[in-house]
Amino acid sequence: MYEERPALLDGAVLWTRTAAGPGTGGSRPVLPDGCMDLIWAGGHLLVAGPDTRAHVPAESAERYAGVRFAPGDAPAFFGVPAHELRDRRVPLADLWGAAGTRRLGERITDAPDPAAALDEAVRRRAADLPAPDPLLRAVADRLAAGRAVAETADAVGLGARQLHRRSLDAFGYGPKTLARILRLQRALALVLSGVPYAEAAVRAGCADQAHLARETRALAGMTLGAYTASAAASANSETPEPSGSRTTA
């Protein structure tokens, strides 16, 4: 079972997940979403970097909890540029050191509600860090709304090279890749709400249905039909999980 709610940290999402049991077909692929997560996996702390392709989780624990940061917010929290974690799942200890990470993991694991403890730990650490860069939040918001990359660069007052460099550090990839990923997320959300493929493609910013089909294969690793079938099967099962749910390496 997968559930999510707003996290204590502004713009973040707290999610929990119980691993699928035998015979349930396993986990759905996690699609790129422009985000990074801090994950508690049955006592271990992991970082899910920004994805450029679908990731199929490998079950390593029965229970998971995670905080999914808003696009661009996580690098300051973890202390590493996002592009260094692109398409990777790494132990938090690799970034923060073994001793401190072990103590944090034990504190979360021993709490009556590990998800709430993880949520509070993230809030406390973030409170001691500078606030997220409003310029980069504006970049993410504009691209999520379907604005063009060039228009976005002009709106935030950055040249193309500056925007690309800062996007690599903040999001893990350049603004064109981020725009593609967010466009696919918009299109698939429309598809799941019942909008026909062709209409969803145009409304999301694709040239046509064929364009959306190519992007779905490239970024999600499956056809549109396979994605909708997988989503329907998940919705009808006892362990629903949306494309943003991240777990292990």
Side-chain angles (χ1 to χ4, degrees):
M1 177 67 73
Y2 176 90
E3 296 179 331
E4 64 179 42
R5 63 179 186 266
L8 295 173
L9 181 65
D10 178 45
V13 172
L14 175 68
W15 56 266
T16 57
R17 180 176 175 274
T18 303
T24 61
S27 300
R28 287 177 57 201
V30 179
L31 305 192
D33 57 8
C35 299
M36 295 172 60
D37 294 47
L38 175 60
I39 300 169
W40 173 85
H44 302 285
L45 290 170
L46 308 166
V47 179
D51 292 325
T52 60
R53 57 182 181 270
H55 170 79
V56 180
E59 305 287 15
S60 65
E62 293 184 359
R63 292 193 301 158
Y64 300 88
V67 172
R68 184 180 311 122
F69 293 80
D73 286 4
F77 182 88
F78 292 118
V80 61
H83 64 80
E84 294 189 11
L85 300 176
R86 183 172 54 232
D87 293 319
R88 297 177 63 197
R89 304 295 188 271
V90 301
L92 182 63
D94 289 358
L95 307 181
W96 289 2
T101 300
R102 182 177 63 253
R103 289 193 297 269
L104 176 60
E106 290 172 350
R107 190 160 67 247
I108 292 170
T109 301
D110 293 341
D113 183 348
L118 175 66
D119 197 16
E120 177 62 20
V122 168
R123 185 197 67 80
R124 286 179 177 272
R125 176 175 173 83
D128 295 329
L129 298 172
D133 188 337
L135 184 147
L136 292 170
R137 280 204 165 180
V139 169
D141 289 344
R142 292 185 69 86
L143 294 179
R147 302 294 187 184
V149 171
E151 178 186 337
T152 296
D154 288 341
V156 300
L158 291 178
R161 289 185 179 180
Q162 284 181 306
L163 178 59
H164 186 80
R165 175 178 55 80
R166 295 186 66 169
S167 293
L168 287 177
D169 288 345
F171 310 119
Y173 22 68
K176 290 184 179 180
T177 298
L178 178 61
R180 287 179 63 204
I181 287 169
L182 296 178
R183 182 179 60 198
L184 180 65
Q185 288 284 340
R186 291 195 305 275
L188 294 181
L190 289 168
V191 166
L192 293 185
S193 72
V195 176
Y197 292 164
E199 181 182 347
V202 174
R203 286 173 57 179
C206 294
D208 50 28
Q209 181 177 332
H211 183 196
L212 173 58
R214 291 193 299 272
E215 290 291 85
T216 305
R217 287 193 296 270
L219 297 172
M222 64 183 80
T223 65
L224 272 168
Y227 175 79
T228 53
S230 174
S234 179
N236 292 328
S237 75
E238 295 182 355
T239 56
E241 61 182 276
S243 63
S245 169
R246 294 158 178 255
T247 52
T248 60

